[in-house]
Amino acid sequence: MKAAVLNNINQNLEIENLIQESPKENEVKVKINFAGVCASDAHIMDGSATLPKPVVLGHEGSGTIVEVGSNVRNLKPGDRVIMSFVSNCGHCFHCRTGIPNLCSENLRIGSKLFDDTFRLKKQNNQEVYQMGKIGLFAEYSVCPSQACYPIPKEISLETAALIGCCATTGIGAIINHQNVKTGMSFAIFGCGGVGISAIQGAKLLNASKIIAVDIDDEKLEFTKKFGSTHTINAATESPIKKILEITFGNGVDMALDTFGSSGTSENALESIRRGGYAVIVGLANEGEKIQVDAVSLVRKQLNLTGSYYGTTSSHETFRTIVNACRNNQLDLNSIVTKKFPLEKINIAFNELNSGAITGRGLIEF
Ligand SMILES: [Zn+2]
Ligand SMILES: [Zn+2]
């Protein structure tokens, strides 16, 4: 079974022929159709995030069920599925209280399967981890059945792949925020796959203003067809000054940092109105800190939160997004601008890192 393996940080992924075990109880085998080229994979490749190695990366994708293990009753061969990079255990505190996207058992066991063992090994018998218990830069994935969400036939496998990470992360952060209201004004920092999704999430809520902020003019231009009402190039003008100007001196109701860095998060916080909401969605480098002015936080009654994988149950966000796609209220297919075969995966990540991919790139199997 061919897969792209990360053996060490700051090295190319290597296409290797791995040995794959059959699915065990509550597990399935999925033929991968598409896998997204996401910054979260790049962070692991360059060491700014950590996973044990060797590991098959790839956490955003779609596939088709080819085999089910014992006790799997909700999936069958032929089902087309969204892949979730958080498999919920169903019985921890977070699963029981309605936030299975934060499942503590999933986090504890990490890049192995729930029985604490591996399904992949090299020809020399060295065991290989799977990112998010799925590892989608591979022809097949043996994973927990909870990782798979079946989709209706009118949803394309490209759209399904994006729902697996960037669409759910960006749209969910907005529509599942407990204080969100129709007609609010938004600033979206970062216009990659998550940022464009967030813009569409804001549009879904009939936002009064959707201000896109990035440092790349081509990416800013691209956001206009998804609903941005204003664009700001933060490399040439101050986003905070400009956002205050656009909002008549008040600031936006809600700002999202979809990029993930101290600078963009601090800008997001400074661009919201008194009593407004700043949400950090993108992942900064491990250990990075943001500076918050303690007095402003109180006097301006600012709200700063994080949002992981759409804020609530990711399967529930999948359902909402699938329905919105069926009603033509969202256009995820058009976010995909480039496709690469598995053999060109290192070129795909070089292009992502250099900013050459506008929208989202997919690995096509
Ligand atoms: Zn991702
Ligand atoms: Zn759990």
Side-chain angles (χ1 to χ4, degrees):
M1 197 276 302
K2 260 197 297 181
V5 181
L6 178 69
N7 288 300
N8 279 302
I9 61 163
N10 295 319
Q11 282 183 3
N12 275 342
L13 299 176
E14 286 173 53
I15 310 292
E16 299 186 27
N17 195 9
L18 302 179
I19 300 163
Q20 187 167 45
E21 273 188 54
S22 297
K24 296 188 177 174
E25 187 179 17
N26 299 318
E27 294 174 4
V28 295
K29 182 174 178 177
V30 187
K31 185 194 178 322
I32 305 307
N33 295 114
F34 291 100
V37 179
C38 177
S40 297
D41 303 296
H43 284 324
I44 296 159
M45 291 162 73
D46 69 18
S48 56
T50 315
L51 277 189
K53 286 165 268 302
V55 60
V56 175
L57 300 178
H59 63 282
E60 172 179 277
S62 60
T64 309
I65 304 280
V66 290
E67 189 184 341
V68 300
S70 62
N71 204 33
V72 175
R73 289 182 294 257
N74 62 324
L75 296 163
K76 58 181 187 311
D79 283 352
R80 299 153 73 248
V81 294
I82 298 165
M83 303 299 295
S84 166
F85 62 81
V86 175
S87 288
N88 54 310
C89 75
H91 51 76
C92 73
F93 170 83
H94 299 92
C95 283
R96 279 192 278 104
T97 53
I99 36 176
N101 55 317
L102 304 180
C103 173
S104 34
E105 187 68 356
N106 176 69
L107 194 66
R108 184 182 72 80
I109 297 174
S111 308
K112 292 186 274 181
L113 277 288
F114 271 121
D115 66 358
D116 217 10
T117 65
F118 300 81
R119 298 295 168 272
L120 293 175
K121 61 182 177 184
K122 297 197 181 204
Q123 302 297 332
N124 66 3
N125 285 332
Q126 185 183 15
E127 289 168 317
V128 178
Y129 293 91
Q130 291 169 250
M131 180 177 186
K133 298 186 168 37
I134 49 181
L136 302 179
F137 296 150
E139 293 173 306
Y140 293 91
S141 171
V142 170
C143 60
S145 61
Q146 308 93 293
C148 301
Y149 182 91
I151 50 166
K153 61 179 184 311
E154 59 267 41
I155 300 295
S156 75
L157 286 160
E158 286 93 332
T159 284
L162 300 197
I163 297 174
C165 177
C166 69
T168 294
T169 300
I171 297 167
I174 290 189
I175 66 171
N176 294 329
H177 192 285
Q178 60 178 353
N179 297 101
V180 85
K181 288 193 184 83
T182 57
M184 277 172 58
S185 56
F186 292 87
I188 310 294
F189 287 78
C191 297
V194 177
I196 296 166
S197 299
I199 286 167
Q200 294 200 54
K203 193 172 168 227
L204 209 53
L205 291 164
N206 290 321
S208 55
K209 292 185 177 73
I210 306 175
I211 306 166
V213 186
D214 203 285
I215 52 169
D216 182 315
D217 282 330
E218 196 182 320
K219 287 183 181 159
L220 286 167
E221 190 59 35
F222 190 63
T223 65
K224 290 180 183 166
K225 69 177 190 187
F226 300 102
S228 67
T229 58
H230 302 73
T231 60
I232 301 173
N233 187 328
T236 55
E237 55 189 336
S238 157
I240 298 163
K241 203 169 147 228
K242 188 82 189 172
I243 288 168
L244 286 174
E245 221 174 277
I246 296 167
T247 55
F248 314 109
N250 285 329
V252 284
D253 295 309
M254 186 178 287
L256 257 72
D257 176 14
T258 73
F259 179 72
S261 74
S262 49
T264 44
S265 291
E266 287 162 12
N267 278 345
L269 188 63
E270 284 182 50
S271 66
I272 58 175
R273 64 163 168 83
R274 288 183 164 74
Y277 305 91
V279 185
I280 302 178
V281 178
L283 289 166
N285 294 343
E286 277 175 13
E288 202 166 325
K289 305 270 193 295
I290 60 170
Q291 291 209 320
V292 178
D293 185 281
V295 173
S296 306
L297 197 71
V298 177
R299 283 191 186 275
K300 294 184 179 174
Q301 207 168 292
L302 304 177
N303 300 278
L304 173 65
T305 56
S307 167
Y308 186 63
Y309 212 0
T311 312
T312 178
S313 157
S314 36
H315 280 40
E316 179 54 14
T317 312
F318 295 168
R319 189 184 66 80
T320 307
I321 294 176
V322 163
N323 284 335
C325 287
R326 280 170 127 170
N327 298 338
N328 296 315
Q329 293 168 301
L330 292 172
D331 175 15
L332 303 185
N333 267 346
S334 303
I335 300 179
V336 179
T337 54
K338 263 190 159 169
K339 291 177 186 168
F340 304 84
L342 183 63
E343 291 67 29
K344 299 235 165 99
I345 193 164
N346 290 302
I347 295 172
F349 276 101
N350 287 340
E351 290 194 13
L352 175 79
N353 293 333
S354 68
I357 300 177
T358 295
R360 197 60 145 189
L362 291 180
I363 305 297
E364 180 170 20
F365 291 88

